[in-house]
């Protein structure tokens, strides 16, 4: 057997560089890295040596680098991914939040944090966490609950098994998620005689598991017995590339579609079977379907509480639940009749067996009425309104009016995710929301990741001043790499979304808006100047009309544009014909009549929860 002597780090990057997709591209396109003593001498040397065969990119923060990598994988429909390397200690723990985000959203990212010395000779090394009762514990054990696969590389030859296991998880549609390979820093530099065959190019295929015929038969019977079924479109529809299949299924059988955050834009908003968002941030048309439906058919959804109205949305006492999902864990939730399999294959199989079964038990006018209310809600302010600040809905309306078929609206946290889910009317593929983890700080790095994945698209990043303040440093990276996207920064001077939740739950305004914090003076942050200092184009929109102008002007630039606009901190997205209760526990006893009223409302809504079939 022919061998080649390499350090463990050299072997890792060489192996990763030849793991290919069906289309002949590297599955791991490249590596984001911030070097420290835990990875610079070993992995850093290896990455420098391999060069363009596995390119390295430098970011500003480990968490935001990983956010960019995760957004890239989501935009690529999990067909390609990035790796992210950090040093040990704080560099590694900065990645834990991103790992949790990828885990919740079922998205592939390869995390390679440095680790302590496997030989333990210099213990304790700089930044080493010492467990007084477990000598094998390191800070990287924090990754175990937020990784789909975790391994610690403590000997060079362990790569021969660890790397294929890692790639299996990254490319497996069932168990897809973050992989952590904690790489002991002394082992990175150790040499081993690796088999040359280990570095032969290998193709990883996107599998489409077929559903079991017995589950198909049971689900077909349930569908045929129904009177008013509704389809819930989740992110699994997108990852399965089942968008057209779902549209055909709905049209052929007369079953309307409602959307989750991850499933939004699988069908364009203009599709006549698309009744919009369901649940807490749902449309009136979609939620009415969910109230009355006797059969809820989830396709590629994990049934998050925003989709189900905390399981109080489905009000029909006869209702049943079907879950079509490639992951058995998701398919069996809440007593659902499971159909475990690839979304596209499962829908095709069901449609063939159902033949000409037709329902049509919905009012198409309700969808048109709702869209008309959205247009009215998002229209530009009346010229006679004076100096009143615009609402988030009016900001969305402005961007919508100048958007094109190439526009992708993206966001992650605050008021905007709910408002966009309800109000944004995308073309197919024109929506990217990280709402599984709803991670503040994802937005700017995520926008860069989307643009890297889809350079032909026009990426619009909606971000509030709170999220912007949490994590904005990758603007500098995007400027350096000339990755253009447009940021719409809505400044309501605090955490307006949670402030509304606080008061809506019977509480008093406290510690969310700057004016309600224990401070002597409210900060006056010049976001335009800050953006410019990062090397991007910054501008203040004077009003909604100017916002439209600035969005169009940004399209010709070769770097990011940050457009700041002051918004009203008080109104939320407004009903616009939608909205539903969300289970946020209200104190059982308190000190105010307002709190007592909120508690009584909470108890009434909680009584509607139907947690099992």
């Amino acid at each position: 057997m022919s061998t080649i002597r390499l350090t463990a780090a050299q072997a890792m990057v060489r192996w990763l560089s030849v793991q290919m997709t069906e289309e002949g591209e590297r599955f791991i396109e490249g590596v984001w890295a911030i070097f420290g003593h835990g990875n610079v001498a070993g992995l850093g040397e290896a990455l420098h040596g391999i060069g363009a065969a596995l390119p390295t990119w430098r970011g500003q923060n480990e968490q935001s680098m990983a956010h960019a990598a995760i957004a890239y994988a989501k935009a690529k429909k999990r067909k390609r991914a990035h790796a992210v390397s950090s040093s040990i200690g704080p560099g590694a723990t900065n990645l834990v939040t991103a790992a949790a985000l990828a885990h919740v959203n079922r998205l592939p990212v390869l995390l390679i944090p440095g680790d302590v010395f496997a030989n333990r000779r210099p213990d304790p090394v700089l930044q080493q966490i010492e467990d007084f009762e477990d000598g094998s514990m390191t800070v990287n054990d924090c990754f175990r609950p937020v990784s789909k696969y975790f391994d610690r590389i403590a000997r060079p030859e362990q790569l021969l098994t660890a790397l294929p296991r890692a790639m299996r998880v990254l490319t497996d549609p069932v168990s897809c998620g973050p992989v952590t390979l904690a790489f002991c820093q002394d082992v990175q530099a150790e040499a081993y005689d690796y088999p040359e065959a280990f570095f032969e190019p290998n193709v990883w295929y996107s599998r489409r598991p077929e559903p079991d015929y017995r589950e198909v038969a049971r689900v077909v019977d349930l569908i045929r017995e129904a009177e008013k079924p509704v389809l819930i479109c989740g992110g699994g529809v997108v990852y399965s590339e089942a968008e057209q299949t779902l549209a055909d299924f709905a049209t052929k059988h007369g079953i309307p579609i409602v959307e989750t955050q991850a499933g939004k834009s699988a069908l364009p908003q203009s599709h006549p079977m698309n009744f919009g968002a369901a649940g807490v941030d749902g449309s009136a048309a979609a939620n009415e379907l969910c109230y009355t439906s006797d059969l809820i058919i989830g396709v590629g959804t994990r049934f998050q509480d925003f989709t189900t109205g905390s399981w109080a949305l489905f009000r029909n006492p006869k209702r049943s639940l079907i879950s079509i999902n490639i992951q058995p864990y998701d398919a069996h939730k809440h007593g659902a009749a499971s159909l475990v399999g690839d979304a596209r294959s499962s829908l095709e199989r069901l449609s063939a067996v159902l033949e000409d079964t037709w329902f049509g038990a919905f009012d198409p006018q309700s969808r048109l009425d709702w869209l008309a209310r959205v247009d009215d809600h998002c229209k530009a302010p009346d010229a006679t309104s004076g100096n009143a600040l615009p609402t988030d809905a009016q900001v969305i309306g402005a961007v919508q009016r100048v958007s094109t078929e190439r526009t992708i609206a993206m966001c992650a946290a605050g008021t905007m995710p709910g408002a966009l889910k309800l109000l944004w009317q995308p073309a197919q593929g024109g929506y990217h929301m990280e709402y599984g983890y709803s991670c503040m700080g994802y937005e700017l790095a995520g926008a860069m990741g989307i643009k890297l994945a889809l350079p032909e698209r026009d990426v619009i990043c909606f971000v509030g001043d709170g999220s912007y303040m949490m994590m904005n440093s990758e603007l500098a990276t995007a400027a350096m790499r000339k990755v253009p996207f447009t940021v719409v920064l809505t400044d309501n001077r605090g955490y307006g979304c949670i402030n509304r939740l606080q008061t809506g739950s019977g509480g008093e305004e406290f510690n969310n808006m700057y004016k309600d914090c224990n401070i002597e003076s409210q900060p006056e942050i010049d976001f335009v100047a800050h953006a410019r200092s990062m090397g991007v184009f910054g501008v203040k929109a004077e009003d909604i009309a100017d916002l439209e102008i600035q969005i169009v002007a940004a399209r010709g630039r070769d770097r990011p544009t940050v457009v700041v606009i002051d918004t009203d901190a008080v109104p939320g997205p407004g009903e616009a014909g939608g909205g539903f209760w969300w289970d946020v526990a209200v104190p059982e006893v308190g000190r105010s009549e307002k709190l007592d009223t909120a508690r009584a409302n909470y108890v009434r809504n909680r009584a509607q929860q139907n947690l099992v079939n």
Side-chain angles (χ1 to χ4, degrees):
M1 180 179 66
S2 299
T3 62
I4 180 170
R5 192 162 183 81
L6 299 169
T7 68
Q10 293 164 356
M12 174 182 278
V13 300
R14 183 166 177 169
W15 189 87
L16 290 174
S17 73
V18 294
Q19 304 310 302
M20 313 304 288
T21 69
E22 297 174 68
E23 293 73 29
E25 300 172 311
R26 284 190 307 272
F27 180 79
I28 299 294
E29 187 196 6
V31 182
W32 292 93
I34 292 178
F35 293 133
H37 70 278
N39 65 343
V40 67
L43 194 56
E45 185 278 336
L47 287 168
H48 177 265
I50 201 166
L54 187 69
T56 302
W57 311 301
R58 181 192 182 282
Q60 315 302 324
N61 178 285
E62 292 86 358
Q63 180 181 327
S64 55
M65 287 194 309
H67 287 171
I70 294 164
Y72 174 90
K74 181 178 174 72
K76 285 291 191 182
K77 301 183 179 182
R78 306 196 301 197
K79 301 298 188 291
R80 298 186 75 192
H82 289 165
V84 184
S85 176
S86 75
S87 186
I88 68 171
T93 52
N94 277 350
L95 289 173
V96 173
T97 294
L101 185 154
H103 192 291
V104 169
N105 289 284
R106 321 296 205 251
L107 292 169
V109 62
L110 176 59
L111 305 176
I112 313 171
D115 211 321
V116 299
F117 275 66
N119 62 35
R120 303 189 182 181
R121 284 183 294 187
D123 281 9
V125 298
L126 179 64
Q127 298 177 336
Q128 180 173 347
I129 298 292
E130 295 180 274
D131 188 292
F132 301 157
E133 298 176 352
D134 186 346
S136 67
M137 187 77 70
T138 83
V139 71
N140 286 332
D141 287 282
C142 292
F143 286 97
R144 290 183 182 273
V146 291
S147 298
K148 287 295 185 74
Y149 178 74
F150 176 90
D151 208 343
R152 178 171 283 112
I153 310 303
R155 291 184 61 84
E157 61 267 37
Q158 288 175 345
L159 292 177
L160 295 170
T161 53
L163 286 174
R165 289 173 182 173
M167 190 61 69
R168 180 198 66 79
V169 172
L170 293 169
T171 59
D172 187 350
V174 178
S175 58
C176 185
V179 168
T180 301
L181 298 180
F183 208 167
C184 292
Q185 56 187 294
D186 55 335
V187 178
Q188 293 177 32
E190 290 180 14
Y192 181 78
D193 294 320
Y194 290 94
E196 284 192 346
F198 185 59
F199 303 105
E200 290 294 319
N202 185 40
V203 176
W204 296 84
Y205 297 99
S206 298
R207 294 186 295 109
R208 292 192 177 277
E210 292 283 337
D212 185 275
Y213 72 94
R214 292 161 295 186
E215 289 194 335
V216 170
R218 178 178 59 169
V219 166
V220 165
D221 287 343
L222 286 172
I223 294 174
R224 283 177 171 160
E225 292 167 4
E227 295 179 359
K228 296 186 66 176
V230 65
L231 289 156
I232 298 182
C233 172
V237 172
V238 176
Y239 302 139
S240 174
E241 298 180 313
E243 297 95 335
Q244 189 59 51
T245 305
L246 178 66
D248 293 344
F249 183 91
T251 303
K252 176 181 176 181
H253 301 292
I255 306 177
I257 297 170
V258 301
E259 303 170 306
T260 70
Q261 282 281 20
K264 187 175 175 70
S265 82
L267 272 68
Q269 194 65 76
S270 59
H271 194 286
M273 300 302 287
N274 185 355
F275 280 68
V280 175
D281 39 13
S283 75
N287 283 349
E288 179 63 27
L289 290 171
C290 293
Y291 296 153
T292 59
S293 175
D294 61 347
L295 183 63
I296 314 299
I297 307 172
V299 186
T301 176
R302 64 191 187 95
F303 289 111
Q304 187 212 35
D305 62 345
F306 259 62
T307 300
T308 67
S310 300
W311 290 100
L313 179 62
F314 310 127
R315 299 286 181 88
N316 189 326
K318 298 180 180 179
R319 68 95 166 159
S320 295
L321 188 67
I322 291 172
S323 182
I324 302 170
N325 206 293
I326 201 165
Q327 171 53 259
Y329 181 90
D330 291 319
H332 287 86
K333 284 178 178 173
H334 291 273
S338 62
L339 186 60
V340 179
D342 171 73
R344 191 166 84 188
S345 298
S346 298
L347 289 171
E348 289 171 348
R349 181 79 66 83
L350 286 176
S351 191
V353 178
L354 285 168
E355 297 179 319
D356 295 329
T357 302
W358 166 263
F359 294 95
F362 62 94
D363 177 14
Q365 187 60 41
S366 67
R367 172 182 169 275
L368 299 176
D369 291 343
W370 161 63
L371 288 173
R373 292 180 67 177
V374 169
D375 289 340
D376 183 65
H377 193 64
C378 296
K379 67 184 180 182
D382 191 294
T384 62
S385 62
N387 294 322
L389 292 174
T391 64
D392 289 332
Q394 291 168 336
V395 169
I396 291 171
V399 180
Q400 183 82 70
R401 287 189 290 275
V402 294
S403 68
T404 70
E405 291 290 306
R406 297 187 303 110
T407 300
I408 297 177
M410 69 83 61
C411 190
T415 300
M416 275 297 180
L420 286 164
K421 183 184 173 191
L422 176 63
L423 305 173
W424 184 256
Q425 300 178 48
Q428 187 168 9
Y431 189 79
H432 178 118
M433 185 65 61
E434 191 293 290
Y435 209 61
Y437 211 48
S438 188
C439 184
M440 295 180 73
Y442 174 88
E443 294 91 342
L444 300 175
M448 178 173 65
I450 299 168
K451 188 66 176 180
L452 288 171
L454 304 171
E456 74 281 4
R457 301 299 292 267
D458 177 25
V459 180
I460 308 289
C461 169
F462 289 85
V463 64
D465 56 301
S467 274
Y468 182 93
M469 289 293 287
M470 278 197 179
M471 192 162 290
N472 51 56
S473 57
E474 298 307 335
L475 279 176
T477 305
M480 289 187 295
R481 294 186 63 180
K482 292 191 174 181
V483 182
F485 53 88
T486 303
V487 178
V488 178
L489 197 168
T490 52
D491 183 6
N492 62 18
R493 298 151 301 283
Y495 301 141
C497 175
I498 298 302
N499 183 68
R500 287 188 288 274
L501 179 61
Q502 185 176 53
T503 57
S505 300
E508 301 298 329
E509 292 186 287
F510 172 62
N511 203 50
N512 285 313
M513 308 308 294
Y514 284 124
K515 66 181 180 61
D516 303 315
C517 297
N518 186 19
I519 55 177
E520 293 186 7
S521 61
Q522 180 168 316
E524 298 295 334
I525 302 166
D526 190 338
F527 291 107
V528 172
H530 180 272
R532 291 174 177 172
S533 75
M534 303 283 273
V536 307
F537 188 91
V539 64
K540 182 73 170 283
E542 297 302 321
D543 52 28
I544 288 295
D546 190 31
L547 175 61
E548 295 184 31
I549 293 170
Q550 298 300 337
I551 294 294
V552 174
R555 289 182 186 140
R557 300 189 180 110
D558 64 354
R559 54 183 169 142
T561 296
V562 174
V563 185
V564 182
I565 185 165
D566 293 332
T567 56
D568 194 333
V570 178
E575 290 198 4
F580 195 73
W581 175 70
W582 184 32
D583 191 344
V584 176
V586 176
E588 194 166 350
V589 294
R591 299 177 300 277
S592 71
E593 182 179 343
K594 183 170 70 170
L595 189 61
D596 292 341
T597 300
R599 175 67 189 186
N601 182 61
Y602 174 75
V603 171
R604 281 194 301 273
N605 281 294
R606 193 174 62 178
Q608 299 292 331
Q609 287 176 312
N610 186 356
L611 302 181
V612 295
N613 286 324

